[in-house]
Amino acid sequence: MRHHKINNLADKTAWVVIPAFNEAGEDTVSRTVLSVKRCFRNVVVVDDGSSDETSALALAAGAYVCRHPVNLGQGASLATGIAFALARGADAIVTFDADGQHSPHDAFDMLGLLRRERLDIVLGSRFLGSALGIPFHRQMFLRAATLFTIAATGLPLTDTHNGLRVLSRNAAALIRISQNHMAHASEILHQIAAHHLAFREYPVTIEYTQYSMQKGHRLTGAVRILGDIFFRKLMR
Amino acid sequence: MIIKFVLVGLLAGLVIYALTQVKRVPVVSTLTIAAAMAATVLVVFPEISTQIAVVFGVGRGADLIFYLFIILTFMTIFFLYLKIIRLEDIMTQIVRACALSNYRAPENDQ
């Protein structure tokens, strides 16, 4: 197993934000936090109103825990986690999924890239990297969603719905996530385009396990996302 | 003919209820009373609605009222939905403030 020497600077000021909703099954959140903690010192899990032991497990595994008393959605959880990390002096923030699909080593490499090239955002791409065990219909759906988002944002991306990102402090403070649910992914990209933030994609490995696919997104979610985006535009 | 009594009765009930709510929701109550009074006039003298409809090029008074009703209903639903979204924003802020102020640190905090 690769051990990453934790760089002193990155160690103290980088924060990993993990939104989680009912991820206590099969000790998933514990395993995720423990694996992330091998590469990163500061981890905060945002418990989005789970009805199981997510908070307790995350805490025991060594993460800070912010708990929403009611379920708000993944976008809202990210926004809460980012606010928490910024308040603790984070100068780089990693967004990381709780379900075990992401690799902490990818995140660590992405952080290195961000710092070296002084970027604002590094976005993980499974289509540049690999999507292990991805079901066919899921891949087709993601590719379609990606094409749509590329057209909508004007950004030349290969993967527009990847939860693995690294943000600089500047980017994290600038980007305002107002979409509580799944439309936050597109919202983040729209703001990257609007603020002309310096970004790069990085090849990552997404592992589709039985567990994570059970909790996957439904196609009706896509309709909901479009609806959310439409109404938000009206309110501007 | 009976329908006129039923409708006027219901509208009268609505006006009385709206009057009791004037302090709580002044604008909506006033609008409701005004609308109920206009509706009462149209129920008692339906010819008036036809006279107005003809001016707008609509054949029957009832048709004009129907069209206006549909549009007003859609507008109301639309504004209510936007209001719900605003309420959700407020709720999010409250829940977030709660989560941030009640954070928990892991035992082995460095």
Side-chain angles (χ1 to χ4, degrees):
Chain A
M1 199 200 92
R2 284 149 68 192
H3 277 282
H4 281 78
K5 285 228 172 63
I6 298 182
N7 174 298
N8 260 350
L9 195 61
D11 188 42
K12 293 202 181 72
T13 58
W15 275 83
V16 180
V17 171
I18 305 179
F21 178 60
N22 287 338
E23 300 280 2
E26 298 172 30
D27 290 336
T28 299
V29 66
S30 302
R31 287 192 272 121
T32 302
V33 172
L34 286 171
S35 73
V36 169
K37 286 219 57 147
R38 279 187 216 115
C39 302
F40 295 89
R41 198 176 95 155
N42 306 312
V43 179
V44 56
V45 167
V46 182
D47 176 1
D48 195 13
S50 303
S51 52
D52 63 11
E53 294 299 301
T54 296
S55 273
L57 290 176
L59 208 61
Y64 281 77
V65 172
C66 290
R67 182 182 155 81
H68 288 158
V70 291
N71 178 261
L72 292 181
Q74 195 182 54
S77 306
L78 274 184
T80 299
I82 289 172
F84 181 83
L86 287 175
R88 313 227 36 155
D91 84 322
I93 293 176
V94 177
T95 67
F96 197 94
D97 284 357
D99 59 7
Q101 284 194 342
H102 291 153
S103 156
H105 304 299
D106 285 336
F108 190 84
D109 293 337
M110 286 163 68
L111 175 61
L113 176 65
L114 184 102
R115 290 202 195 283
R116 273 195 320 274
E117 310 272 330
R118 296 188 194 288
L119 300 167
D120 289 314
I121 317 260
V122 178
L123 300 166
S125 168
R126 84 200 78 199
F127 295 123
L128 284 179
S130 54
L132 303 174
I134 184 171
F136 178 74
H137 66 275
R138 180 119 197 97
Q139 181 173 40
M140 288 304 109
F141 174 70
L142 278 170
R143 292 222 185 250
T146 301
L147 285 172
F148 178 77
T149 312
I150 292 170
T153 60
L155 296 173
L157 297 169
T158 58
D159 188 351
T160 54
H161 287 82
N162 197 315
L164 183 50
R165 318 170 182 88
V166 184
L167 296 83
S168 67
R169 184 183 181 86
N170 176 51
L174 264 179
I175 289 175
R176 218 191 119 241
I177 299 174
S178 62
Q179 292 283 358
N180 281 1
H181 300 282
M182 295 317 295
H184 72 272
S186 330
E187 193 187 23
I188 290 173
L189 297 178
H190 274 99
Q191 293 192 44
I192 290 174
H195 292 296
H196 304 290
L197 295 176
F199 72 94
R200 281 262 283 276
E201 278 193 304
Y202 189 85
V204 299
T205 302
I206 305 288
E207 206 179 321
Y208 285 80
T209 59
Q210 188 77 322
Y211 173 88
S212 67
M213 286 198 284
Q214 268 178 302
K215 298 202 84 207
H217 308 306
R218 303 208 171 22
L219 264 108
T220 49
V223 180
R224 177 142 190 210
I225 291 174
L226 288 172
D228 282 343
I229 296 173
F230 173 69
F231 273 100
R232 279 293 159 180
K233 286 237 184 292
L234 281 172
M235 291 190 65
R236 291 272 164 268
Chain B
M1 247 328 260
I2 299 178
I3 186 70
K4 289 197 189 187
F5 289 108
V6 173
L7 288 175
V8 172
L10 287 173
L11 287 167
L14 183 59
V15 168
I16 292 169
Y17 182 65
L19 284 168
T20 65
Q21 300 296 311
V22 166
K23 278 226 168 70
R24 257 183 100 218
V25 277
V27 177
V28 174
S29 295
T30 316
L31 286 174
T32 304
I33 293 168
M37 282 171 28
T40 308
V41 169
L42 290 175
V43 165
V44 175
F45 303 109
E47 320 82 57
I48 296 180
S49 69
T50 310
Q51 287 162 10
I52 301 173
V54 167
V55 171
F56 285 98
V58 177
R60 300 187 322 175
D63 287 350
L64 178 68
I65 292 171
F66 193 52
Y67 299 150
L68 289 175
F69 177 73
I70 291 176
I71 293 169
L72 285 172
T73 301
F74 274 120
M75 281 173 59
T76 304
I77 292 174
F78 185 65
F79 285 119
L80 283 175
Y81 189 77
L82 288 180
K83 176 150 195 167
I84 289 174
I85 291 184
R86 265 178 228 122
L87 285 174
E88 283 183 340
D89 275 348
I90 294 173
M91 183 186 74
T92 300
Q93 288 176 43
I94 297 172
V95 173
R96 177 162 301 138
C98 184
L100 289 174
S101 60
N102 294 330
Y103 77 89
R104 295 172 66 190
E107 274 175 8
N108 53 341
D109 186 23
Q110 315 83 339

